[in-house]
Amino acid sequence: MTLKLYFDPHSRSQVAKWMLDEAGVDYEIVPTLIREKAHKKPDYLKINPAGKLPALVDGRTRVFENAAICMYVAEKFPQARLAPPVGSPDRGRYLSLMVYSTAQLEPSMGDSLLGVRSNNSARGWTNFEQAKDAVERELGEGPYLFGARFTAADVMIGSMFIWHRAFGGRSNRPKIDAYINRLQARPKGMKFG
């Protein structure tokens, strides 16, 4: 059975597509255009009750949210080696980075792009400069978050910086800029902006 990715090229579903491409698996794109409000139709809401993109269908399994899709794909296709295996000493750090991408990095990046100044600690996430500090520490000597091994954590963390760049943001961090360039240079990397 073929995986189905509900996709709009002008949405976060680009991240899930990148992950599927890196995994090297067959999948079908189901065009779900936001401008046509396809993501708000009753049939789609049965797949993702939040009415957001992306969503992945694998037989009777429905997965939504990029981090969940990335973790699902990495676990379903372990031969792609996009996640440390369960029981590996790196597994906890990997899971932490997957959650960090959406719980800290994405909202702080959004605030930065929108020029929102607030008491971030009251909102539950750090500011974008502190998030970039954390990512630089996690990158270490790179080239990826787990050294020479590219993982789903690079898809999630890297996609945030790729989006930031695509929307005209500047990291002002040579280490992060080099990381983004490496990610976009990958044959299956997320390329736009």
Side-chain angles (χ1 to χ4, degrees):
M1 186 167 294
T2 303
L3 297 169
K4 293 181 180 181
L5 176 64
Y6 290 76
F7 179 81
D8 182 324
H10 305 290
S11 75
R12 288 183 175 110
S13 54
Q14 285 279 359
V15 178
K17 182 182 184 309
W18 181 16
M19 180 64 182
L20 288 162
D21 290 344
E22 290 283 357
V25 299
D26 291 330
Y27 63 96
E28 173 188 341
I29 294 237
V30 180
T32 310
L33 302 181
I34 293 170
R35 72 174 181 270
E36 296 174 4
K37 301 204 181 308
H39 60 303
K40 300 297 183 184
K41 293 185 177 173
D43 284 347
Y44 184 75
L45 293 173
K46 290 177 186 172
I47 297 166
N48 183 349
K52 301 285 186 183
L53 290 171
L56 183 71
V57 173
D58 180 13
R60 294 183 358 197
T61 302
R62 276 92 173 105
V63 187
F64 54 94
E65 295 296 328
N66 276 317
I69 291 170
C70 287
M71 288 187 279
Y72 181 82
V73 169
E75 289 178 11
K76 182 168 179 77
F77 303 101
Q79 67 277 13
R81 301 197 55 208
L82 293 168
V86 174
S88 162
D90 287 334
R91 185 69 177 187
R93 181 171 167 260
Y94 162 78
L95 293 172
S96 297
L97 288 168
M98 295 298 286
V99 173
Y100 187 83
S101 68
T102 59
Q104 297 292 322
L105 182 57
E106 184 175 15
S108 69
M109 178 196 74
D111 284 353
S112 174
L113 284 171
L114 295 171
V116 173
R117 303 230 183 261
S118 66
N119 181 353
N120 292 63
S121 62
R123 295 174 72 186
W125 56 85
T126 188
N127 69 49
F128 194 40
E129 291 305 310
Q130 291 169 328
K132 288 188 282 188
D133 290 343
V135 170
E136 283 184 324
R137 283 190 296 272
E138 289 299 312
L139 266 171
E141 297 305 312
Y144 302 114
L145 291 164
F146 286 86
R149 183 177 178 189
F150 177 86
T151 68
D154 293 298
V155 171
M156 287 303 301
I157 297 282
S159 66
M160 295 301 112
F161 288 110
I162 293 169
W163 278 111
H164 185 255
R165 183 182 279 180
F167 283 106
R170 299 178 58 158
S171 80
N172 297 317
R173 306 279 183 111
K175 189 174 193 174
I176 289 175
D177 289 337
Y179 175 58
I180 298 166
N181 294 340
R182 281 191 299 278
L183 293 173
Q184 290 190 293
R186 291 180 64 78
K188 298 176 183 178
M190 196 168 99
K191 296 173 181 68
F192 54 81

